[in-house]
Amino acid sequence: MSDSQNLFSGKRKYLFGLALLSFISVIFASFSMADSNDFDISKREILLRRIGHEILLQSGDSISRVLPVKKIAENEYQIRFEKEFSFQPDSLVNITQRLLAKDPLASDHVVTILNCGDSSVAYGYAISKNKKEDNVPCIGRIQPKACYVINIKFKPTGINTVKSGYLLAGLPFLALVGFLFFKSVTPRKQKTLPDSQDTNLFTLGSVLFDAKNRKLIINENTIDLTATETRVLLIFALSPNETIERSRLQKEIWEDEGVIVGRSLDMFISKLRKKLELDSNINIVVIRGKGYKLEISS
């Protein structure tokens, strides 16, 4: 088999490899970002527990526990405590800023301290990467001992957006490569084309079919065709070695005349066979249950 007939040779193999490599690259990038995202979230939860621990120490409590950090919404976490405590707002702000500085994705955040009983806001402040936008009220007022939970909400970092962007941006490229690949491997139908630029002339084996003048020229012999024979043979000549449905032939040849007769088609097929029999390589064969085919053997 020649190189041009090998499905995965040359250009086709290159396109297949490019498509596969592109697909693997996009998937790898997406999963790498997902792994990185999970790792950053785990680090953040540890920092939040550390914040809770230092707040308790600041209040003079070195015994009670910081309960597991709870993720209450996308980019929002809740620090819970085993016992009541009091806090100084300035110490709370300093502790959170110092520890969250270790998280490069936490420069913008809002801290809200809620009363456990009614979820009313006991204190809150906002920190921004742009220091001019910081909002830290009531720093000097000590908050009484009570049951508190601390909610910390971070500004969306766009990690998920970027990850989705990688996938979405990669899909059109993969589609393009896939289209080029399948286009290159799709076998082209081989049709017998006319030797002449005149589309009314068709070379069928050793037979020259002149559709315009309704003639067959075989070995210097000229055979006249009727108008209907010409129309039938033209349909076959445009699709050699392909099955033509019987219903299509009947519709295209006789429907305009208002009458479709099955035996009329068989009669014209029979007449065409006789006129083409001078070339043994050409034959109109019956495809049982479907229709007919103009077979041209080399």
Side-chain angles (χ1 to χ4, degrees):
M1 184 178 292
S2 64
D3 291 340
S4 62
Q5 295 174 322
N6 190 339
L7 185 63
F8 294 105
S9 65
K11 182 179 178 181
R12 296 168 183 174
K13 184 182 291 185
Y14 170 78
L15 288 173
F16 177 77
L18 181 60
L20 182 61
L21 179 61
S22 301
F23 178 76
I24 293 174
S25 298
V26 171
I27 296 300
F28 178 77
S30 300
F31 278 99
S32 295
M33 294 189 71
D35 291 341
S36 176
N37 190 19
D38 292 340
F39 181 72
D40 289 337
I41 289 175
S42 298
K43 284 177 59 179
R44 178 175 293 175
E45 291 179 352
I46 293 173
L47 285 176
L48 294 175
R49 287 185 63 85
R50 179 73 180 276
I51 289 172
H53 171 70
E54 293 204 13
I55 289 173
L56 289 180
L57 290 178
Q58 189 70 32
S59 69
D61 183 351
S62 60
I63 299 176
S64 63
R65 296 183 304 116
V66 177
L67 299 178
V69 173
K70 183 178 181 181
K71 185 175 182 180
I72 58 176
E74 189 67 30
N75 300 309
E76 187 171 5
Y77 299 82
Q78 186 175 84
I79 306 172
R80 299 173 298 158
F81 303 89
E82 184 180 30
K83 294 183 178 181
E84 296 180 347
F85 65 95
S86 63
F87 66 92
Q88 295 181 353
D90 54 343
S91 297
L92 175 64
V93 173
N94 290 334
I95 290 171
T96 55
Q97 281 191 287
R98 175 169 52 84
L99 293 177
L100 290 179
K102 299 178 181 180
D103 185 347
L105 303 178
S107 56
D108 293 84
H109 58 272
V110 175
V111 178
T112 307
I113 295 86
L114 304 175
N115 290 298
C116 297
D118 56 7
S119 297
S120 60
V121 177
Y123 182 70
Y125 62 93
I127 299 297
S128 174
K129 190 174 183 179
N130 182 359
K131 297 300 181 182
K132 294 181 180 180
E133 297 179 3
D134 287 354
N135 186 1
V136 186
C138 308
I139 290 181
R141 299 178 183 178
I142 299 176
Q143 299 298 316
K145 187 175 183 179
C147 176
Y148 299 110
V149 294
I150 301 176
N151 289 356
I152 301 181
K153 185 171 185 177
F154 300 96
K155 184 177 180 179
T157 59
I159 290 177
N160 291 330
T161 302
V162 172
K163 181 175 67 176
S164 300
Y166 265 93
L167 286 172
L168 293 176
L171 288 177
F173 177 72
L174 289 176
L176 175 61
V177 174
F179 170 76
L180 294 175
F181 169 70
F182 285 110
K183 184 178 180 181
S184 68
V185 301
T186 301
R188 296 180 179 178
K189 294 181 179 180
Q190 299 296 325
K191 291 189 177 182
T192 303
L193 298 177
D195 293 336
S196 171
Q197 294 296 322
D198 188 347
T199 55
N200 289 308
L201 293 176
F202 297 84
T203 300
L204 309 174
S206 62
V207 177
L208 181 64
F209 171 39
D210 185 347
K212 182 178 181 180
N213 296 309
R214 302 178 187 174
K215 295 181 182 295
L216 291 176
I217 302 173
I218 308 175
N219 299 327
E220 299 183 356
N221 295 317
T222 300
I223 301 175
D224 293 327
L225 299 173
T226 66
T228 302
E229 289 172 344
T230 301
R231 292 167 67 187
V232 173
L233 185 56
L234 181 59
I235 294 174
F236 285 118
L238 290 171
S239 302
N241 296 314
E242 294 182 12
T243 300
I244 307 298
E245 294 183 357
R246 183 183 183 88
S247 59
R248 174 189 166 187
L249 289 167
Q250 291 176 330
K251 181 177 180 180
E252 292 190 21
I253 302 301
W254 285 282
E255 188 174 55
D256 291 340
E257 300 176 9
V259 179
I260 299 177
V261 181
R263 291 185 178 180
S264 297
L265 176 60
D266 297 332
M267 178 185 67
F268 283 105
I269 294 293
S270 178
K271 289 182 177 181
L272 283 173
R273 283 198 185 108
K274 290 182 179 180
K275 293 182 177 182
L276 292 169
E277 64 185 6
L278 291 178
D279 187 342
S280 59
N281 294 320
I282 304 176
N283 190 24
I284 300 176
V285 298
V286 177
I287 305 300
R288 189 175 299 276
K290 294 184 178 180
Y292 299 91
K293 179 193 294 186
L294 176 64
E295 286 190 346
I296 303 175
S297 57
S298 56

